[in-house]
Amino acid sequence: MTNTPSVKAIVFDLDGTLYEETAHFDYYANRIKDKLPDEKQNLFMRDYQLAVNFEHPLQIGRIYDVENDLILVEQNGRIIEAYKWNGEPVVKEKLSQLYPNKITIDYKRMLNIGDLWWVPISIGAHYGALKEQSQQAFLETRDYMMSDQFKMKPIPGLKDLLEFLYKDIHLTLLTNSPEPDSEVILKKLGIDHLFHKKIFNGKKPVKTKKWFEQLRNEVDVKFSEILSVGDNEVNDIKPVSELGCQTIYIDTYQLGKKTTASYVVNKMSEAIPIIDFLTISKIKR
Ligand SMILES: [Mg+2]
């Protein structure tokens, strides 16, 4: 007997999941650049351009160790490679000295470059930008995203899908971004009214499991009946795979890394038919 798909609740990430625009990342990089000393600004922009083109050791899919100023490649929590800023590899003996145990992503000392937000943050940290300055730049960027200047194009089929699911499937938005700007973005996309619950400042990955446990209790579903959809493996996929939830990982940059996701797609529009399939038995047609 085949397993009937039985998703009863879906949790969506926002940034990079429910919209595909990328212009705001350059804006963000420029706001961080503005906060650096003059002599660092060109170096910052040079590294940023290289990094977004995957021509710099610092790139999406890696980790930046702020204290040691090293770029790390991780596998199952263990560091298997490390590079200095100039691309020179760290020798194996030094590597096991520096990272004898599994590492913990704390977004203070260890920055997981899971999406494009973390590229300018990490490069900024290398050139001396303080956490507060990156945070200020982030808020300036969200202001820009709320303005008319930032044009958004809804993902074809997404609004129809959410409208269709809304009656029978519990829909949650779970984002690390703040509420005011996220709400404006949802309004621009015309989908702000299509969630039963919205969680802002979600503090993923630290609190990811907590939110899913809460959802399971509140909505009375099993973990296996919850589907998580997101573009950040560490925040949206790994913690909930461990709980036994179903997952769709949007691998925008086709990192080809080992993933625990149930499904991997390159963009949201490819996830739509999968969501359709997974919810089919729950919807009264
Ligand atoms: Mg995201």
Side-chain angles (χ1 to χ4, degrees):
M1 217 171 87
T2 50
N3 266 342
T4 316
S6 60
V7 164
K8 294 180 182 168
I10 308 178
V11 179
F12 291 94
D13 168 54
L14 173 61
D15 301 291
T17 297
L18 297 181
Y19 67 89
E20 290 168 349
E21 276 74 15
T22 54
H24 54 290
F25 293 120
D26 288 347
Y27 187 93
Y28 185 39
N30 277 293
R31 298 293 75 73
I32 294 182
K33 179 205 78 180
D34 291 345
K35 292 169 180 50
L36 292 170
D38 286 350
E39 69 275 14
K40 301 279 168 76
Q41 294 191 354
N42 286 342
L43 293 168
F44 172 90
M45 285 314 285
R46 180 204 62 187
D47 287 347
Y48 172 70
Q49 291 305 340
L50 290 171
V52 297
N53 292 321
F54 291 85
E55 291 165 356
H56 192 283
L58 187 126
Q59 49 186 258
I60 294 181
R62 293 185 173 175
I63 292 163
Y64 180 52
D65 175 346
V66 181
E67 244 163 59
N68 292 308
D69 190 29
L70 291 175
I71 298 139
L72 313 178
V73 179
E74 165 261 11
Q75 207 173 61
N76 302 321
R78 302 240 169 228
I79 301 308
I80 54 166
E81 285 169 39
Y83 298 92
K84 295 180 184 170
W85 201 258
N86 64 8
E88 196 185 309
V90 176
V91 294
K92 286 268 178 260
E93 302 85 73
K94 183 92 189 290
L95 208 57
S96 45
Q97 270 171 29
L98 283 169
Y99 310 104
N101 305 311
K102 286 193 174 189
I103 58 144
T104 309
I105 300 296
D106 58 7
Y107 288 107
K108 290 187 185 88
R109 238 201 79 182
M110 290 287 179
L111 312 182
N112 173 54
I113 309 165
D115 54 42
L116 254 181
W117 292 106
W118 290 93
V119 171
I121 297 175
S122 304
I123 300 173
H126 171 79
Y127 286 112
L130 303 172
K131 207 175 167 227
E132 297 71 36
Q133 291 176 311
S134 294
Q135 181 59 22
Q136 181 54 35
F138 176 73
L139 295 176
E140 288 164 18
T141 305
R142 300 304 282 192
D143 280 344
Y144 160 71
M145 295 175 78
M146 287 162 74
S147 75
D148 293 340
Q149 257 180 294
F150 184 64
K151 303 265 179 270
M152 300 193 82
K153 210 165 77 221
I155 295 168
L158 178 63
K159 185 180 179 183
D160 289 348
L161 174 81
L162 295 175
E163 272 173 351
F164 186 62
L165 297 175
Y166 188 79
K167 214 158 31 83
D168 303 298
I169 306 288
H170 190 276
L171 304 176
T172 302
L173 177 88
L174 172 55
T175 175
N176 280 353
S177 292
E179 177 166 358
D181 41 285
S182 298
E183 278 290 1
V184 172
I185 289 169
L186 291 171
K187 278 205 180 72
K188 282 191 184 191
L189 298 170
I191 56 174
D192 54 304
H193 58 298
L194 295 174
F195 297 93
H196 299 95
K197 184 169 183 162
K198 295 175 192 164
I199 302 163
F200 304 97
N201 298 310
K203 299 208 160 44
K204 296 181 279 184
V206 179
K207 283 195 173 175
T208 306
K209 279 186 180 160
K210 194 202 103 178
W211 296 123
F212 278 70
E213 274 157 11
Q214 205 177 77
L215 175 69
R216 181 193 56 174
N217 299 337
E218 281 177 12
V219 184
D220 191 25
V221 289
K222 298 185 199 122
F223 282 135
S224 61
E225 296 167 331
I226 305 177
L227 170 70
S228 173
V229 185
D231 71 319
N232 188 316
E233 161 90 31
V234 172
N235 292 356
D236 309 318
I237 305 300
K238 197 162 168 277
V240 300
S241 292
E242 287 166 9
L243 295 178
C245 299
Q246 306 192 50
T247 52
I248 302 179
Y249 171 43
I250 302 173
D251 185 11
T252 315
Y253 304 97
Q254 296 168 46
L255 299 176
K257 271 182 102 177
K258 256 219 221 123
T259 172
T260 54
S262 326
Y263 302 88
V264 181
V265 296
N266 295 332
K267 50 185 181 176
M268 184 66 199
S269 49
E270 292 170 12
I272 292 175
I274 301 173
I275 296 172
D276 247 337
F277 168 73
L278 291 173
T279 52
I280 207 156
S281 63
K282 289 293 138 207
I283 293 179
K284 301 155 201 94
R285 286 170 202 253

